[in-house]
Amino acid sequence: MKFGGTSVANLERMRVAASYVKEEVDRGNEVIVIVSAMAGETNKLVETVNSVSPYFDAREYDAVVSSGENVTAGILALILQDMRIPARSWQGWQVPITTTSSHSSAQIMDIATDNLNAKFQEGLKVAVVAGFQGISQENRTTTLGRGGSDLTAVAFAAKFDCERCDIFTDVDGIYTADPRIVFKARKLNRIAYDEMLELASLGAKVLQTRSVQMAMAHQVPVYVRSSFSRKPGTLVCNEDEKMENRTISGIAHSRDEAKISIISVADRPGVAATIFGALSDKGINVDMIVQNISESGRTDITFSCPIEHAPIAKKSLLDAKKDNLANFKDIVLDLEVCKVSVVGIGMRSQSGVAAKMFAILANEGINIKVISTSEIKISVLVDRKYMELAVQALHDKFELHANRITPK
Ligand code: ADP
Ligand code: ASP
Ligand code: MG
């Protein structure tokens, strides 16, 4: 059972969380509970680190930002003990959860089971584990990337062969679009791992992308539900026939994107490799890429990346030019864009989705700046000021509020 930030936001919410845990214990289950920091706490810690130095030591950043989870783990264990439930807390290093050393985006390498299992054997009913953190081979605390408690939860479920992984959050499941933007968004009873993976990686932060990858790889059934209501949630699982009947399952958006155009680069073998090599050396997460038709041996290349990567991207391109690795005329940054995507496994067998999507956006007077597609998604970059309008129009015209969805 994993409780996100809003589900452990204060003592009152933690008592509610504890009551959900108690229900499972009363059913005779042993429970591993993964907790996030209290809502807003991790952001505050990040701000504090940034205020000390924007060029921080990543190891100390992790030491600080992982601390919010330690507090909630201890307090929830105390609340459970107060309810006469045998419970204790574990921090990442105590389990231990061993990870790679890539601070702030570490990967889980292993989770030891001995310590927890020994305590369960002695009669422990609930192990409360601080999410989002682990320990590197250098014996330093690491964090798993924002939203990383989801990953901790799925990884524990896989490692301990748990019956289920329940993710308690502030919405009662996965919707056809972010319910905070689309009022008419509909809750899905089930969603395929593939679709959830696309939705998450395209901006639907209800589950961290890597947690969905892990769930898919280890076949962990993930049940997303609310700690604020008793309504049934959404099961993330393998696809079934019913799911294939719907062309589109959801709309995702990602607000803070940047579009970078490199003007007039030589159109010959090796140029793109040099440019994107320079970007990847700096760890820039390049997303969509388009290259224009070449005129007189020169062309323009446009790509998108998260907005916070844009300044470093520009600098690394200018450095590459200075070192005579890449020759281009100019770089143009557009920091006012966002990405809107439609996702659905039914797209594999249905044509016409792209045409319909572009027509809907055109009808709203929204200009498309960059397009990218995969087997089960179409993404476009549009001006940020149109984000809500684009998401709502697509949701409406693809009739996602209704139960059966077929493109006209
Ligand atoms: P937690 O703190 O519990 O981990 P998050 O804030 O990370 O919660 O994720 C829950 C949020 O995800 C919701 O409040 C909702 O605004 C957002 N969200 C985005 N897309 C979707 C979607 N398709 N379905 C449900 N929630 C979504
Ligand atoms: N507290 C961490 C964050 O805010 C991890 C999480 O909540 O999943 O990113
Ligand atoms: Mg989250």
Side-chain angles (χ1 to χ4, degrees):
M1 302 173 83
K2 178 257 173 176
F3 293 91
T6 43
S7 302
V8 290
N10 49 45
L11 288 182
E12 193 192 327
R13 294 304 320 163
M14 284 193 237
R15 288 203 177 93
V16 174
S19 70
Y20 282 95
V21 177
K22 182 174 185 306
E23 281 173 30
E24 290 300 335
V25 174
D26 288 347
R27 278 189 205 116
N29 290 317
E30 290 169 337
V31 189
I32 299 173
V33 176
I34 309 294
V35 285
S36 286
M38 292 186 238
E41 210 47 48
T42 311
N43 284 348
K44 268 194 232 156
L45 294 167
V46 171
E47 271 168 38
T48 310
V49 171
N50 277 315
S51 73
V52 177
S53 163
Y55 305 105
F56 48 74
D57 175 342
R59 292 161 298 193
E60 301 306 345
Y61 169 96
D62 276 355
V64 177
V65 303
S66 62
S67 63
E69 272 71 8
N70 297 345
V71 176
T72 39
I75 294 180
L76 190 62
L78 286 172
I79 292 175
L80 289 163
Q81 288 172 4
D82 206 40
M83 295 161 81
R84 311 237 170 281
I85 298 169
R88 71 155 271 193
S89 72
W90 267 271
Q91 295 180 9
W93 65 273
Q94 294 172 308
V95 173
I97 303 164
T98 43
T99 72
T100 59
S101 308
S102 45
H103 284 271
S104 82
S105 58
Q107 314 227 1
I108 295 178
M109 290 166 68
D110 197 17
I111 297 173
T113 51
D114 303 2
N115 284 330
L116 266 67
N117 278 339
K119 292 291 167 196
F120 280 126
Q121 295 262 306
E122 287 170 23
L124 184 83
K125 288 292 169 205
V126 184
V128 188
V129 179
F132 181 50
Q133 52 173 261
I135 184 167
S136 69
Q137 271 160 340
E138 291 78 30
N139 213 23
R140 304 290 305 249
T141 293
T142 54
T143 61
L144 310 176
R146 295 307 302 270
S149 297
D150 294 334
L151 179 62
T152 310
V154 174
F156 268 80
K159 187 74 190 185
F160 284 82
D161 215 3
C162 297
E163 194 180 303
R164 235 176 37 234
C165 177
D166 285 358
I167 303 274
F168 286 84
T169 182
D170 55 5
V171 280
D172 51 21
I174 315 285
Y175 279 72
T176 47
D178 187 341
R180 295 185 202 285
I181 290 194
V182 180
F183 182 62
K184 287 199 288 185
R186 182 171 49 86
K187 188 170 59 188
L188 301 164
N189 295 327
R190 298 158 78 84
I191 186 166
Y193 290 120
D194 284 359
E195 287 176 313
M196 192 58 234
L197 192 55
E198 287 281 15
L199 282 177
S201 70
L202 294 168
K205 66 166 187 166
V206 58
L207 285 178
Q208 192 218 28
T209 309
R210 282 164 56 204
S211 73
V212 187
Q213 274 169 336
M214 169 89 67
M216 186 153 96
H218 295 273
Q219 294 287 298
V220 176
V222 174
Y223 188 56
V224 178
R225 55 181 294 194
S226 170
S227 70
F228 291 77
S229 92
R230 291 268 162 189
K231 290 188 189 142
T234 303
L235 187 69
V236 189
C237 56
N238 286 318
E239 62 189 77
D240 59 29
E241 268 170 40
K242 246 189 179 161
M243 291 177 189
E244 277 166 27
N245 285 340
R246 58 185 192 220
T247 308
I248 310 289
S249 295
I251 315 279
H253 66 273
S254 166
R255 181 180 293 274
D256 297 315
E257 300 284 318
K259 176 168 83 78
I260 302 180
S261 298
I262 314 166
I263 313 296
S264 188
V265 281
D267 190 12
R268 56 178 161 73
V271 172
T274 308
I275 287 174
F276 290 102
L279 295 169
S280 111
D281 284 348
K282 291 280 179 253
I284 289 154
N285 208 340
V286 172
D287 180 16
M288 306 155 112
I289 304 174
V290 277
Q291 179 173 330
N292 289 0
I293 292 174
S294 161
E295 268 180 43
S296 57
R298 300 197 77 79
T299 184
D300 300 340
I301 296 178
T302 297
F303 65 92
S304 71
C305 67
I307 201 163
E308 64 270 20
H309 288 184
I312 312 170
K314 184 174 177 182
K315 186 171 180 302
S316 57
L317 290 171
L318 290 174
D319 287 348
K321 182 175 165 144
K322 222 168 37 200
D323 297 342
N324 283 326
L325 292 173
N327 187 11
F328 51 84
K329 208 161 114 203
D330 204 2
I331 300 177
V332 181
L333 252 59
D334 181 351
L335 303 179
E336 298 295 324
V337 290
C338 70
K339 185 170 60 179
V340 176
S341 313
V342 298
V343 174
I345 45 178
M347 259 189 239
R348 289 190 196 127
S349 50
Q350 281 274 354
S351 58
V353 179
K356 180 164 174 170
M357 178 183 189
F358 303 156
I360 295 167
L361 295 173
N363 214 20
E364 300 293 335
I366 301 172
N367 192 29
I368 298 169
K369 298 188 152 180
V370 181
I371 301 167
S372 78
T373 63
S374 79
E375 207 187 8
I376 65 165
K377 72 115 202 272
I378 303 165
S379 297
V380 294
L381 223 53
V382 300
D383 279 335
R384 192 172 303 128
K385 64 181 179 208
Y386 295 129
M387 191 184 83
E388 277 87 358
L389 178 63
V391 174
Q392 283 157 2
L394 290 167
H395 195 274
D396 218 43
K397 298 290 177 341
F398 275 110
E399 296 178 27
L400 295 193
H401 50 280
N403 264 322
R404 275 194 68 249
I405 309 116
T406 36
K408 297 208 176 87

